[in-house]
Amino acid sequence: MTFQLFCKWIESSTLGAGVKNSIWIFPVVESIHILAIVLLAFTAAMIDLRLLGVGFLRRRPVAEVARQLTPWMWRAIVLLILTGIALFSSEAASKCYDSQAFYIKMALIAVAIVNAAIAGAIIRRHADEWDSRRSAPFGAKMMAVVSLVAWAGVVFAGRGIAYF
Ligand code: HEM
């Protein structure tokens, strides 16, 4: 099955047609999508800024900040993927298939999620050592920059789906 045929199938499916033909489901789902973006943006940015040694959590141990915020970051990502699939299903063939912004967004989401998974594993193993040294190593700071840039790119591309 080609991606184009998949898009036509999912848009005519019970899910796609249900979201598309309802006057309130799409706006409600997109509002939940946006609230999940706020939760993701807050949790990811607070962890990244802590790794960079800036922000109002800069004196808190990295291990503590990551332990408290990482579960909420992943809950936001799961909620974004679930609501995103519902939004996508309603306009897969009629909008997303021909939208460059959609493909850019999916690629950036893949980069951001792989980066978050690797960074999470490294933080769990080494954060205590960094806290005793009072600074995260260069590699961890670079992963924080990749995270900030990739998630910001996802938001711009997400908004761009309506335009290109
Ligand atoms: C995981 C992180 C994600 C972020 C940060 C994100 C961000 C966004 C943003 C900022 C918008 C525009 C909202 C608006 O202007 O009202 C949006 C809309 C949308 N997103 Fe996502 N999204 C994510 C995941 C997904 C996924 C996984 C999918 C699909 C599988 C998806 C599909 C869509 C669709 C179809 C729209 C509506 C576009 C439109 O018709 O205007 N999103 N998203």
Side-chain angles (χ1 to χ4, degrees):
M1 182 187 275
T2 64
F3 185 56
Q4 188 172 29
L5 277 179
F6 172 77
C7 288
K8 285 185 177 146
W9 168 79
I10 199 168
E11 189 164 329
S12 60
S13 70
T14 310
L15 174 66
V19 177
K20 185 177 182 147
N21 299 332
S22 161
I23 54 168
W24 61 269
I25 296 180
F26 190 99
V28 166
V29 173
E30 188 155 41
S31 301
I32 298 169
H33 202 65
I34 292 169
L35 289 172
I37 295 163
V38 174
L39 180 60
L40 170 65
F42 174 76
T43 52
M46 286 304 108
I47 296 168
D48 295 336
L49 293 176
R50 178 59 195 86
L51 286 173
L52 292 167
V54 296
F56 67 88
L57 295 176
R58 66 185 176 282
R59 292 192 184 79
R60 309 299 305 170
V62 173
E64 179 194 310
V65 172
R67 195 173 46 250
Q68 289 179 343
L69 297 179
T70 302
W72 287 102
M73 181 187 76
W74 285 109
R75 288 174 188 136
I77 292 171
V78 169
L79 190 55
L80 277 159
I81 292 171
L82 293 176
T83 53
I85 289 170
L87 297 172
F88 169 75
S89 71
S90 72
E91 52 186 29
S94 55
K95 187 187 275 186
C96 296
Y97 180 75
D98 293 315
S99 163
Q100 290 167 332
F102 178 77
Y103 299 109
I104 295 168
K105 181 181 177 183
M106 293 302 115
L108 286 171
I109 289 174
V111 169
I113 287 179
V114 169
N115 184 62
I118 297 171
I122 293 172
I123 290 170
R124 273 193 301 280
R125 205 171 306 149
H126 298 289
D128 293 327
E129 170 205 324
W130 301 342
D131 288 328
S132 61
R133 278 199 348 225
R134 291 203 164 287
S135 174
F138 179 76
K141 290 182 176 169
M142 281 307 99
M143 295 188 90
V145 171
V146 168
S147 172
L148 290 167
V149 171
W151 285 127
V154 172
V155 170
F156 280 96
R159 183 73 280 243
I161 294 174
Y163 301 97
F164 70 95

